[in-house]
Amino acid sequence: MANIQLNDLRKSYAGQEVIHGITMNISNGEFVVIVGPSGCGKSTLLRMVAGLEGISAGTISIGDRVVNDLEPRERDIAMVFQNYALYPHMSVRENMAYGLKIARMPAAEIDARVAKAAAILELEPYLDRKPRALSGGQRQRVAMGRALVREPAAFLLDEPLSNLDAKLRVQMRLQIKDLHQTTGQTMLYVTHDQVEAMTLADRLIVMNKGVADQIATPHEVYMTPASEFVAGFIGSPAMNIFTVQAEAGVAVLPGGQRLPLSGLPASGEVRLGLRPEDMEIVDAGTPSIPVVLRSVEWLGADAFGYGVIEGSDVLMTLRLPGSTVAARGDRLHVAPAEGRMHLFSKETGKRL
């Protein structure tokens, strides 16, 4: 395993910059997830590390080597793609061993590595089967095993679970996390799925239009998002974010109501962020945000209320206890839990 160092990494197409100066050190054995919406540059960044995309500026180091000018096969990395890309005429054993045979590794060493990887990935009963006799999750494990037997310095995984159904994705997340814990390999993983990102990562790179908006642990990203984009992207249901007018410690809400809040600037418009679970139902006479419900989804232990701030068309989502009795048209008064609000600049979108 090895660390991966990105230093002011940039990529341009036809004079248009699409990756904007990303700098990060990925430590030995760290699991880093690049997450963001479609078109944000996450797969491009991964392919630059792999050597499948050229870089326009900056440096990439794997271990102690700058690899800018090295071919993918010279970088000592292994990639797992969304498409399993298994050889259909070969058995699981032959698929996993093929790269080592091409490298002319001794047969005894190949057998030992395949056996070790099969044990880690629970593929031992399937070694003599062809890919067509395997489920989607099993095929993806074979693709991971094929990478694992190479014992690379780092694993690069590009949306490896996207082709699986929801139940298999949960199972494979556990498999990947177990694999990381067992091998201690450095892993760089791309996904658009925030649940995958939050559950797998030691640290996240949250990408927005080619910019790393925040590089931090999942807990830090969720609790203290660095920008309005990060706040809105990470979290389900999404954070409520709307514009308020600050007036000497009071937020004037979109419906004209006045809500005392600490931490506001002395004056001017700011963007206020409130997660659905960070609002408490309070009495009508208490300073609060009045929300008129449009619908309530009951999920058992919890319920989600969807409505608007009274006197406006600003949408609000509330996470309510499952015991809450509420229906369309009801008026609830909610207030932010202590220390759980987020303020962002209306001009830059950055956290205040």
Side-chain angles (χ1 to χ4, degrees):
M1 61 182 177
N3 70 314
I4 300 173
Q5 178 73 48
L6 312 179
N7 183 31
D8 196 27
L9 200 59
R10 298 175 184 272
K11 175 68 176 178
S12 298
Y13 292 107
Q16 181 69 39
E17 194 166 70
V18 295
I19 299 292
H20 305 275
I22 294 175
T23 297
M24 183 185 187
N25 182 50
I26 301 169
S27 302
N28 287 343
E30 191 173 16
F31 198 129
V32 171
V33 176
I34 309 170
V35 64
S38 297
C40 70
K42 56 188 184 293
S43 289
T44 299
L45 178 59
L46 189 80
R47 290 171 62 84
M48 291 165 72
V49 175
L52 301 175
E53 289 276 357
I55 68 173
S56 302
T59 58
I60 301 170
S61 299
I62 300 176
D64 298 325
R65 298 188 303 164
V66 174
V67 299
N68 288 22
D69 299 321
L70 297 183
E71 294 296 322
R73 60 186 173 83
E74 301 173 313
R75 297 191 180 200
D76 194 18
I77 52 93
M79 283 201 74
V80 179
F81 297 95
Q82 178 178 345
N83 187 337
Y84 321 126
L86 302 178
Y87 296 106
H89 62 287
M90 293 184 183
S91 68
V92 168
R93 189 191 310 273
E94 291 166 335
N95 266 283
M96 291 172 65
Y98 184 71
L100 303 183
K101 288 183 178 179
I102 293 298
R104 300 184 182 278
M105 185 172 287
E109 177 68 12
I110 292 174
D111 291 343
R113 290 196 184 189
V114 169
K116 181 181 177 182
I120 291 171
L121 294 167
E122 300 177 7
L123 288 171
E124 291 162 305
Y126 313 109
L127 284 173
D128 295 318
R129 293 189 186 181
K130 297 292 199 314
R132 64 177 176 272
L134 303 177
S135 69
Q138 290 164 344
R139 291 178 193 179
Q140 191 57 275
R141 276 188 278 159
V142 175
M144 292 170 60
R146 185 174 54 192
L148 183 60
V149 296
R150 295 180 52 197
E151 299 182 359
F155 277 95
L156 309 182
L157 301 98
D158 191 3
E159 305 221 37
L161 309 185
S162 294
N163 287 340
L164 305 181
D165 63 36
K167 185 177 180 180
L168 271 177
R169 283 202 299 272
V170 173
Q171 294 173 355
M172 284 302 300
R173 284 206 303 269
L174 293 173
Q175 288 275 350
I176 291 171
K177 196 65 175 176
D178 286 346
L179 175 64
H180 179 248
Q181 294 289 337
T182 302
T183 65
Q185 288 280 4
T186 306
M187 293 190 176
L188 187 58
Y189 185 108
V190 162
T191 182
H192 65 276
D193 186 326
Q194 59 166 291
V195 175
E196 277 180 36
M198 296 289 283
T199 54
L200 289 173
D202 295 324
R203 282 192 295 165
L204 299 175
I205 306 175
V206 186
M207 295 287 291
N208 177 23
K209 297 179 181 177
V211 174
D213 254 25
Q214 188 167 7
I215 301 174
T217 67
H219 185 267
E220 290 171 324
V221 167
Y222 191 82
M223 299 301 290
T224 55
S227 68
E228 183 176 331
F229 170 81
V230 174
F233 185 77
I234 299 294
S236 181
M239 182 185 289
N240 301 295
I241 306 175
F242 51 91
T243 302
V244 299
Q245 178 71 40
E247 293 182 0
V250 173
V252 181
L253 302 177
Q257 305 88 354
R258 301 175 67 84
L259 181 67
L261 290 176
S262 59
L264 287 171
S267 62
E269 289 186 328
V270 295
R271 299 281 284 170
L272 173 63
L274 300 169
R275 293 205 180 276
E277 68 271 24
D278 290 339
M279 289 180 286
E280 304 167 339
I281 298 176
V282 298
D283 295 332
T286 306
S288 60
I289 304 172
V291 177
V292 180
L293 293 177
R294 289 184 174 175
S295 67
V296 178
E297 294 179 351
W298 185 70
L299 303 176
D302 296 310
F304 289 108
Y306 302 94
V308 295
I309 296 177
E310 189 174 44
S312 77
D313 58 0
V314 173
L315 299 174
M316 291 286 286
T317 302
L318 312 175
R319 185 174 184 175
L320 308 169
S323 58
T324 302
V325 178
R328 178 181 176 87
D330 286 355
R331 186 171 181 259
L332 298 180
H333 291 264
V334 297
E338 185 66 29
R340 300 301 296 273
M341 71 172 190
H342 309 267
L343 295 174
F344 305 100
S345 167
K346 188 178 180 184
E347 288 73 31
T348 67
K350 299 300 181 183
R351 186 181 187 86
L352 296 177

